[in-house]
Amino acid sequence: MPAMARFPQWWTLRYTKGLPDDVRERRLAEIAADVDDQHRWAAASGEAAPDRAVAWRTARGMASDLTWRRQQKAAMRTGDPLSDASAGRRLWAACTQAWFAPMAVLLAVFNVLAAIAVLTEDDGQMPGQVLGPIVMTLLAMSIVAGLLVRRRAAATLAAGATAPGRPRRRGTAFGAVVALLVLLLAFALLVVGVSTGGVPYFFAALVTFGATAAIAGCWMLVRALRSGRVEHRITVAEAMIIVGTLPALGLFWMIVPALLAVAVIAGVVGTGARLRTST
Amino acid sequence: MGRYLPISVGMVRRKPGELLPLEYSILDAATSSSRGGDVEFHGFEIARRIRDQEGARRLTAHGTLYKALGRMETAGLLESRWEDPDRASAEGRPRRRLYSVTALGAAAHAHARSGAAEHGEPRWQPGLAT
């Protein structure tokens, strides 16, 4: 058999290599039947040089074959989250997936206990005695909400269901510009506070930074939850969990909460949601 | 952050509910053949019909055709089954994958044909297939 006649089968064997057996066998069988049908049709209709026509037909579709292969590989990764992971990442996932959620819950409890401690402190000062517990409670809620959102999103990923995303909204760029201007204002207040030593400037800068972060965080959360893309929800959920661990990191002299925070952050950043669908 | 890149990389970009030209051609050729009594069709047959209907010089390339057929099957526009192996062996040829247009595919074809998309309406609703 001349090389040109073998080309369709040769190429199909190449680009289906490494794909699941059923996918590969179906494509090989379909191409074999198609090539055979074209040869029979060419013989019946008196078409000249059928081998060359078939080979050219294969060659023209090579780019589509490669993109199809890439989609099949992507589908394999979705179905088997650890298929591409190295041995080290597999070990890391095995170590963190069982302990990641309980550690994060412990940190949420730590935030609540810290809030109660500040609230009931005898020699506490205002407004810190009110603002502190509010912030700590919000951070505890951030961890719990992040875990729940992440768990649901990971389950969706494990089931292989990915809904189509919504188109990008026009207000995104405008919101980013406004946030940047507000942050610049806060930075200017901070600079004035440092240069003049004025406490009100520091306080105003702190409030501006905090309010901007809270508004941006809420906006990101709402946008991610309304988004059809599971990946967006997971990104925000992981950000919420990490932000919730920051107080424990700040209280590093207490050692145990800080170590738990490091373990949770390492678990979130080090492996990835698809490797921890059990959380 | 690479894992958060859009999952649609490498996929065909289209407006929601819109048929691609090749998908419309496939449905058109399949629907016209079904009017003649052939409900099912195979890959080469549809490539040949498209060529005849559109007066093209070449048959649709293998990669382009089977990628589109798979995509349409996933979207619920087509369904497929393997041909009876006894029939294929009796005719001394490889068995074929036989496709047929679903109710959703027929509706999508009808909508596309009537030009509903020109009024800003979706040409077909993917959710109807599930």
Side-chain angles (χ1 to χ4, degrees), chain A residues 37-48 50, chain B residues 44:
Chain A
D37 284 329
Q38 186 168 354
H39 277 288
R40 288 170 184 270
W41 171 75
S45 61
E47 291 267 329
Chain B
F44 176 72

Side-chain angles (χ1 to χ4, degrees), chain A residues 8-278:
Chain A
Q9 188 191 16
W10 175 86
W11 169 244
T12 310
L13 283 169
R14 291 296 164 284
Y15 74 78
T16 57
K17 194 174 182 181
L19 296 180
D21 288 345
D22 55 335
V23 174
R24 188 176 204 220
E25 285 165 12
R26 174 174 169 175
R27 179 53 69 96
L28 281 165
E30 280 199 285
I31 297 296
D34 188 302
V35 169
D36 184 77
D37 284 329
Q38 186 168 354
H39 277 288
R40 288 170 184 270
W41 171 75
S45 61
E47 291 267 329
D51 284 345
R52 194 173 64 187
V54 170
W56 178 232
R57 198 171 155 222
T58 300
R60 283 187 287 118
M62 287 171 84
S64 292
D65 288 330
L66 292 176
T67 55
W68 174 81
R69 175 186 169 81
R70 197 169 60 180
Q71 289 167 8
Q72 297 301 317
K73 295 289 275 186
M76 286 170 64
R77 279 195 295 274
T78 304
D80 179 9
L82 289 171
S83 62
D84 280 357
S86 64
R89 286 196 72 179
R90 283 167 183 266
L91 182 62
W92 181 256
C95 292
T96 58
Q97 67 180 0
W99 295 100
F100 165 72
M103 283 183 184
V105 170
L106 276 179
L107 285 178
V109 172
F110 170 79
N111 286 347
V112 172
L113 291 178
I116 293 172
V118 173
L119 196 63
T120 57
E121 194 175 0
D122 291 335
D123 53 349
Q125 293 181 339
M126 296 300 286
Q129 199 166 11
V130 174
L131 289 178
I134 290 174
V135 171
M136 295 299 283
T137 307
L138 286 174
L139 291 173
M141 291 168 64
S142 172
I143 290 178
V144 175
L147 283 174
L148 291 175
V149 171
R150 193 174 184 284
R151 183 189 177 93
R152 288 180 60 186
T156 307
L157 271 183
T162 51
R166 295 182 178 210
R168 183 182 173 87
R169 296 184 179 179
R170 291 177 183 175
T172 304
F174 178 73
V177 170
V178 171
L180 187 65
L181 289 174
V182 173
L183 287 176
L184 281 174
L185 174 68
F187 185 71
L189 288 170
L190 198 63
V191 170
V192 173
V194 169
S195 58
T196 63
V199 175
Y201 290 108
F202 277 118
F203 189 72
L206 193 66
V207 168
T208 311
F209 274 128
T212 308
I215 292 170
C218 289
W219 176 76
M220 282 177 63
L221 178 62
V222 169
R223 187 168 177 264
L225 292 177
R226 292 180 65 185
S227 167
R229 289 197 184 283
V230 180
E231 287 85 348
H232 290 173
R233 275 183 273 157
I234 291 178
T235 304
V236 172
E238 291 184 344
M240 290 169 68
I241 295 168
I242 290 174
V243 168
T245 64
L246 294 181
L249 272 183
L251 300 172
F252 58 89
W253 58 86
M254 296 176 73
I255 301 176
V256 173
L259 286 178
L260 286 176
V262 169
V264 169
I265 292 172
V268 169
V269 175
T271 53
R274 293 179 187 220
L275 304 182
R276 274 179 272 106
T277 53
S278 62

Side-chain angles (χ1 to χ4, degrees), chain B residues 6-85:
Chain B
I7 58 174
S8 61
V9 170
M11 296 175 70
V12 175
R13 291 188 176 86
R14 73 169 97 199
K15 293 176 184 173
E18 189 174 77
L19 288 175
L20 295 173
L22 177 58
E23 293 170 349
Y24 178 78
S25 298
I26 289 171
L27 288 175
D28 205 40
T31 307
S32 63
S33 68
S34 67
R35 279 197 292 269
D38 300 327
V39 177
E40 292 182 308
F41 58 90
H42 55 85
F44 176 72
E45 182 185 4
I46 206 72
R48 191 170 52 80
R49 285 183 181 277
I50 290 172
R51 192 187 80 154
D52 293 345
Q53 282 192 359
E54 299 182 356
R57 277 185 37 229
R58 298 170 183 154
L59 293 161
T60 309
H62 290 138
T64 313
L65 176 67
Y66 289 101
K67 188 179 162 196
L69 288 172
R71 191 170 60 233
M72 293 171 72
E73 191 175 357
T74 303
L77 301 173
L78 300 176
E79 57 189 9
S80 70
R81 68 173 180 88
W82 283 113
E83 183 186 31
D84 181 5

